[in-house]
Structure formats: C-alpha cells, structure tokens
Amino acid sequence: MLRLFSVMALATSAFVPSALAQSATSAAQPATDIGNIDSMVKMRCSLDPKEDVILWWSGTVFAQLPEKAPSALLGFEGYNICRAEKQADGTWRLLTRELTFYRDLKTGKIIDQWDNPMTGERNEVLQVANDPVNNVLNPPGRPSTVSWVEAGDQLMLTMNIPLTYPNPLSPKDFPKQSSGEMYMGSEHFMFFTPRAAIEDPSLTQAPATYGWTRTGPWLPWMEMGQAPGGLLYIAQGNKKASIAELPADIQERVRTTYPEYATAPKEWIQPNMTSWTVYKQWHESQQQAKKAK
C-alpha cells in the first residue's frame, strides 16, 4: 500500500518521466555524473550512512466530489527522517520513517477529532505514523539513472507515479473505511536542487525543495467507504537541519508520543507500514479492547 507520502520512496522502478523531462535537452554530464542514482540520494537524503536527514512538508487536503470544484478540508504538516546505505552491489537502500499531523484550516492547530462536512459525523483523526518506510532505489535489473532538467543554476527532477494494488482494507470487513478492493491513486513530485551542490564532491548532501501532489481515495478514518469522489493533496517542502527546525507543536508530539521518530531507522526491516495498514492495526486493537471490557 501507499504511504501517505511515498515521496520518501523515490523508487526509480516507478519513475515515469514527465513530458517536460522527455522533451527537454538532458543536462550536460559533469564529472559527478548527475544522471546517476548517487546524485538523487545526495539530493533526497545523504551519501553518508551516519547522517539522518529530515524532509519536511506542509500542504492542504482537498475533497474532489463529482461535478463540484475541489474544496479544502484539512491542512497537514509532517516530515520523513531518512538514512541511506549503499550496498556492495551498488544498490541504495533508504531507511526511513515518517510522521504527518492534520491541522485545522482556520486555527492551524493539530486536530485529533474532525467534523466531517460531507457526512455530518465527527471522526477520530488517525495521524500518519508510518515505520518503517524503507526502499531500494535501484534494484538489480532496474534503471540506474534518472532524467534531470537544467534551469539555470538549478537542477529539476520530475517524477510521476501511478498506483494501483490490493486494498489492505477489504469492503467486506471494513465497509465504512474501505474505498474498494483495489487502491487507486497517483503521486507527482517536482524536486529542485542547486547544481553546484550536486557537483561538489566535498558535500555529502545537497539542499532540496519540492512540490508534491497526490490523488487518492477517502482516508479510512473519514469513514466514507465507497462514496463517490476522493482526495487531492497539494504540498511543498524542503530539507531541515534538525527536529529543532520543525514547528513547536510537532516537536512536542515527537517528545511525548513519537520519540522513535527523532532518528532514522538503524536496521533494514520489511514490510513497510502505511496509512492503511496502520489504520487496520489500530482498528483491530480498538475492537479487542472493547471485547476485553
């Protein structure tokens, strides 16, 4: 299943060049060979396996209902914390975990309950806490380069990722939470990084800013089942030097509730956790707690 932010994965096996990237003249290859996966790791994370790197985001979730204009529902803000390891065969592993918190659009505060304007019901909000979110960027037999586009002294990288796979929440077992037998959606990323930083051999990582768009079904905790429509996510973000650069309320949640998210994972673990699998585990634990009473 898809993580709420599979932007963190950047799996080249899913990379589909945009029309811009396909039509633009490829960037000239400097000594560091900007086409290779190492350069993407340098932008996305760090070439140093001892460095933890934070990629922050902030955006808005919109409802997309049939024959209606998209309407803003929620704000969201969070981060992924990553560590990259290069294997003996040249493949790169990204070891990451990610947090996202939903915010009230008017107050900007993190919310734990939400009045759903489409159902009239009050929903308990399940924040995004996915651990692990680990990925191999260039597995054997898959492409080992990506297509960069030059924009003055900047390099741009566009990635379009269509998604469809079996839904962990079946409609039979989760009629109010499941959008159907299959998950269907897409994610779209536009990264920007200084070319000089990518080419500088003294740097283990390069600054990065990006925009991110996602289309997908209603979130399970919204309890809208297979109601027509879905969600549109629009966000932007960049790298942060440390947890201390994140908003104070997110720092507080990390300290009190999610201390493990202050560092990247130390060991490679599979399978990954996702918003849907986390919800399934949470729902089952809630049911067991009710039975135990």
Coordinates of all heavy atoms in Angstrom, one line a residue, residues 79-121:
Y79 N 7.0 15.2 8.3 CA 8.3 15.0 7.9 C 8.7 13.6 7.7 O 8.0 12.7 8.3 CB 9.3 15.7 8.8 CG 9.5 15.0 10.1 CD1 10.5 14.1 10.4 CD2 8.6 15.3 11.2 CE1 10.6 13.5 11.6 CE2 8.7 14.7 12.4 CZ 9.7 13.8 12.6 OH 9.9 13.2 13.8
N80 N 9.7 13.3 6.9 CA 10.3 12.0 6.9 C 11.7 12.1 7.3 O 12.4 13.1 7.1 CB 10.3 11.5 5.4 CG 11.0 10.2 5.2 OD1 12.3 10.2 5.0 ND2 10.3 9.1 5.1
I81 N 12.2 11.1 8.1 CA 13.6 11.2 8.5 C 14.3 9.9 7.9 O 13.8 8.8 8.0 CB 13.7 11.2 10.1 CG1 15.2 11.4 10.5 CG2 13.1 10.0 10.8 CD1 15.4 11.9 11.9
C82 N 15.4 10.2 7.3 CA 16.0 9.2 6.3 C 17.5 9.0 6.6 O 18.2 9.9 7.1 CB 15.8 9.7 4.9 SG 16.7 8.7 3.7
R83 N 17.9 7.8 6.3 CA 19.3 7.4 6.3 C 19.5 6.5 5.1 O 18.7 5.6 4.8 CB 19.7 6.7 7.6 CG 21.2 6.5 7.8 CD 21.5 6.0 9.2 NE 20.8 4.7 9.4 CZ 21.3 3.5 9.0 NH1 22.5 3.5 8.4 NH2 20.7 2.4 9.3
A84 N 20.6 6.8 4.4 CA 20.8 6.0 3.1 C 22.1 5.1 3.3 O 23.1 5.6 3.8 CB 21.0 6.9 1.9
E85 N 22.0 3.9 2.8 CA 23.1 3.0 2.8 C 23.3 2.4 1.4 O 22.4 1.9 0.8 CB 22.8 1.8 3.7 CG 22.7 2.1 5.2 CD 22.4 0.9 6.1 OE1 21.9 -0.1 5.5 OE2 22.6 1.0 7.3
K86 N 24.6 2.5 0.9 CA 24.9 1.9 -0.3 C 25.5 0.5 -0.1 O 26.4 0.3 0.7 CB 26.0 2.8 -1.0 CG 26.2 2.4 -2.5 CD 27.1 3.4 -3.2 CE 27.1 3.1 -4.7 NZ 27.9 4.2 -5.5
Q87 N 24.9 -0.5 -0.8 CA 25.2 -1.8 -0.7 C 26.4 -2.2 -1.5 O 26.8 -1.5 -2.4 CB 24.0 -2.7 -1.0 CG 22.8 -2.4 -0.3 CD 23.0 -2.4 1.2 OE1 23.2 -3.5 1.8 NE2 22.8 -1.3 1.9
A88 N 27.0 -3.4 -1.3 CA 28.2 -3.8 -2.0 C 28.0 -3.9 -3.5 O 28.9 -3.7 -4.3 CB 28.7 -5.1 -1.5
D89 N 26.7 -4.2 -3.9 CA 26.4 -4.4 -5.3 C 26.0 -3.0 -6.0 O 25.6 -3.0 -7.2 CB 25.3 -5.4 -5.6 CG 24.0 -5.0 -4.9 OD1 23.9 -3.9 -4.3 OD2 23.0 -5.7 -5.1
G90 N 26.2 -1.9 -5.2 CA 25.9 -0.6 -5.8 C 24.5 -0.1 -5.6 O 24.2 1.0 -5.9
T91 N 23.6 -1.0 -5.1 CA 22.2 -0.5 -4.8 C 22.1 0.4 -3.6 O 23.0 0.2 -2.6 CB 21.2 -1.7 -4.7 OG1 21.7 -2.5 -3.5 CG2 21.2 -2.6 -5.9
W92 N 21.2 1.3 -3.6 CA 21.0 2.2 -2.4 C 19.7 1.8 -1.7 O 18.7 1.6 -2.3 CB 20.8 3.6 -2.9 CG 22.1 4.3 -3.2 CD1 22.7 4.5 -4.4 CD2 23.0 4.9 -2.2 NE1 23.9 5.2 -4.3 CE2 24.1 5.4 -2.9 CE3 22.9 5.1 -0.8 CZ2 25.1 6.1 -2.3 CZ3 24.0 5.7 -0.2 CH2 25.1 6.3 -0.9
R93 N 19.9 1.7 -0.4 CA 18.7 1.5 0.5 C 18.4 2.8 1.2 O 19.3 3.4 1.8 CB 19.0 0.4 1.5 CG 18.9 -1.0 1.0 CD 19.2 -2.0 2.1 NE 19.0 -3.4 1.7 CZ 19.3 -4.4 2.5 NH1 19.7 -4.2 3.8 NH2 19.1 -5.7 2.1
L94 N 17.1 3.2 1.3 CA 16.7 4.3 2.1 C 16.0 3.7 3.3 O 15.0 3.0 3.1 CB 15.8 5.2 1.3 CG 16.4 6.0 0.2 CD1 15.4 7.0 -0.4 CD2 17.7 6.7 0.6
L95 N 16.5 4.0 4.5 CA 15.8 3.6 5.7 C 15.1 4.8 6.3 O 15.8 5.7 6.8 CB 16.9 3.0 6.7 CG 17.5 1.7 6.3 CD1 18.6 1.9 5.3 CD2 18.0 0.9 7.5
T96 N 13.8 4.8 6.3 CA 13.1 6.0 6.8 C 11.9 5.6 7.6 O 11.4 4.5 7.6 CB 12.6 6.8 5.5 OG1 11.3 6.4 5.1 CG2 13.6 6.7 4.4
R97 N 11.4 6.7 8.3 CA 10.1 6.6 8.9 C 9.5 8.0 8.8 O 10.2 9.0 8.6 CB 10.2 6.2 10.4 CG 11.2 6.9 11.2 CD 11.1 6.6 12.7 NE 11.5 5.2 13.0 CZ 12.6 4.7 13.6 NH1 13.5 5.6 13.9 NH2 12.8 3.5 13.8
E98 N 8.1 8.1 8.9 CA 7.5 9.4 8.6 C 6.3 9.7 9.5 O 5.6 8.8 9.9 CB 7.1 9.5 7.2 CG 6.1 8.5 6.8 CD 5.9 8.3 5.3 OE1 6.9 8.7 4.5 OE2 4.8 7.9 4.8
L99 N 6.2 11.0 9.8 CA 5.0 11.5 10.6 C 4.3 12.6 9.9 O 5.0 13.4 9.2 CB 5.6 12.1 11.9 CG 5.9 11.2 13.1 CD1 6.5 12.0 14.2 CD2 4.6 10.5 13.6
T100 N 3.0 12.6 9.9 CA 2.2 13.8 9.4 C 1.1 14.0 10.4 O 0.4 13.1 10.9 CB 1.7 13.5 8.0 OG1 2.8 13.5 7.1 CG2 0.7 14.5 7.6
F101 N 0.8 15.3 10.6 CA -0.3 15.7 11.5 C -1.3 16.5 10.7 O -0.9 17.4 9.9 CB 0.3 16.5 12.7 CG 1.2 15.7 13.5 CD1 2.6 15.8 13.3 CD2 0.8 14.8 14.5 CE1 3.5 15.1 14.1 CE2 1.7 14.1 15.3 CZ 3.0 14.2 15.1
Y102 N -2.6 16.3 11.0 CA -3.6 17.1 10.3 C -3.9 18.3 11.1 O -3.9 18.3 12.3 CB -4.9 16.2 10.1 CG -4.6 15.1 9.2 CD1 -4.4 13.8 9.7 CD2 -4.6 15.3 7.8 CE1 -4.1 12.7 8.8 CE2 -4.4 14.2 6.9 CZ -4.1 12.9 7.4 OH -3.9 11.9 6.6
R103 N -4.1 19.4 10.4 CA -4.3 20.7 11.1 C -5.7 21.3 10.7 O -6.2 21.1 9.5 CB -3.2 21.7 10.7 CG -1.8 21.3 11.2 CD -0.8 22.5 10.9 NE 0.5 22.2 11.4 CZ 0.9 22.3 12.6 NH1 0.1 22.8 13.6 NH2 2.2 22.0 13.0
D104 N -6.3 22.1 11.6 CA -7.5 22.8 11.3 C -7.1 24.0 10.4 O -6.2 24.7 10.6 CB -8.1 23.4 12.6 CG -9.4 24.1 12.4 OD1 -10.4 23.5 12.3 OD2 -9.3 25.4 12.2
L105 N -7.9 24.1 9.3 CA -7.6 25.2 8.3 C -7.7 26.6 8.9 O -7.0 27.5 8.5 CB -8.5 25.0 7.1 CG -8.3 23.9 6.2 CD1 -9.3 23.8 5.1 CD2 -6.9 24.0 5.5
K106 N -8.6 26.8 9.8 CA -8.8 28.1 10.4 C -7.8 28.5 11.5 O -7.2 29.6 11.5 CB -10.2 28.3 10.9 CG -11.3 28.3 9.8 CD -12.7 28.5 10.4 CE -13.7 28.4 9.3 NZ -15.1 28.6 9.9
T107 N -7.6 27.6 12.4 CA -6.7 27.9 13.5 C -5.2 27.4 13.3 O -4.3 27.9 14.0 CB -7.2 27.1 14.8 OG1 -7.1 25.7 14.6 CG2 -8.7 27.5 15.0
G108 N -5.0 26.5 12.4 CA -3.7 25.9 12.2 C -3.3 24.9 13.2 O -2.2 24.4 13.1
K109 N -4.1 24.6 14.2 CA -3.8 23.7 15.2 C -3.9 22.3 14.8 O -4.8 21.9 14.0 CB -4.6 24.0 16.5 CG -4.4 25.3 17.1 CD -5.2 25.5 18.4 CE -5.0 26.8 19.1 NZ -5.8 27.0 20.3
I110 N -3.0 21.4 15.4 CA -3.2 20.0 15.1 C -4.5 19.5 15.7 O -4.9 19.9 16.9 CB -2.0 19.2 15.8 CG1 -0.7 19.5 15.1 CG2 -2.2 17.7 15.7 CD1 0.5 18.9 15.7
I111 N -5.2 18.7 15.0 CA -6.5 18.2 15.5 C -6.5 16.7 15.7 O -5.9 16.0 14.9 CB -7.7 18.6 14.5 CG1 -7.4 18.0 13.1 CG2 -7.9 20.1 14.4 CD1 -8.5 18.2 12.1
D112 N -7.3 16.2 16.7 CA -7.4 14.8 16.9 C -8.8 14.3 16.7 O -9.1 13.1 16.7 CB -7.0 14.5 18.3 CG -5.5 14.7 18.5 OD1 -4.7 14.1 17.8 OD2 -5.1 15.6 19.4
Q113 N -9.7 15.3 16.5 CA -11.1 15.0 16.0 C -11.5 16.0 14.9 O -11.0 17.1 14.9 CB -12.1 15.1 17.2 CG -11.9 14.1 18.3 CD -13.0 14.2 19.3 OE1 -13.5 15.2 19.7 NE2 -13.5 13.0 19.8
W114 N -12.3 15.5 14.0 CA -12.7 16.3 12.9 C -14.2 16.2 12.5 O -14.7 15.1 12.5 CB -11.9 15.8 11.7 CG -12.1 16.5 10.4 CD1 -11.9 17.9 10.2 CD2 -12.5 16.0 9.1 NE1 -12.2 18.2 8.8 CE2 -12.6 17.0 8.2 CE3 -12.9 14.7 8.7 CZ2 -13.0 16.8 6.9 CZ3 -13.3 14.5 7.4 CH2 -13.3 15.5 6.5
D115 N -14.8 17.3 12.4 CA -16.2 17.3 12.0 C -16.3 17.2 10.4 O -16.0 18.2 9.7 CB -16.9 18.6 12.5 CG -17.0 18.6 14.0 OD1 -17.3 17.5 14.6 OD2 -16.9 19.7 14.6
N116 N -16.7 16.1 10.0 CA -16.7 15.8 8.5 C -17.8 16.5 7.9 O -19.0 16.2 8.1 CB -16.8 14.3 8.3 CG -16.6 13.9 6.9 OD1 -16.9 14.6 5.9 ND2 -16.1 12.6 6.7
P117 N -17.6 17.5 7.0 CA -18.6 18.3 6.4 C -19.4 17.5 5.4 O -20.5 17.9 5.0 CB -17.9 19.4 5.7 CG -16.5 18.9 5.4 CD -16.2 18.0 6.5
M118 N -18.9 16.3 4.9 CA -19.6 15.6 3.9 C -20.5 14.5 4.5 O -21.5 14.1 3.8 CB -18.6 14.9 3.0 CG -17.8 15.9 2.2 SD -16.3 15.2 1.4 CE -15.2 14.9 2.8
T119 N -20.3 14.1 5.7 CA -21.2 13.1 6.4 C -21.9 13.7 7.6 O -22.9 13.1 8.0 CB -20.4 11.9 6.9 OG1 -19.5 12.4 7.9 CG2 -19.6 11.3 5.7
G120 N -21.4 14.8 8.1 CA -22.0 15.4 9.3 C -21.6 14.7 10.6 O -22.1 15.0 11.7
E121 N -20.7 13.7 10.5 CA -20.2 13.0 11.6 C -18.9 13.5 12.1 O -18.1 14.2 11.4 CB -20.0 11.5 11.2 CG -21.3 10.8 10.7 CD -22.3 10.6 11.8 OE1 -21.9 10.5 13.0 OE2 -23.5 10.6 11.5

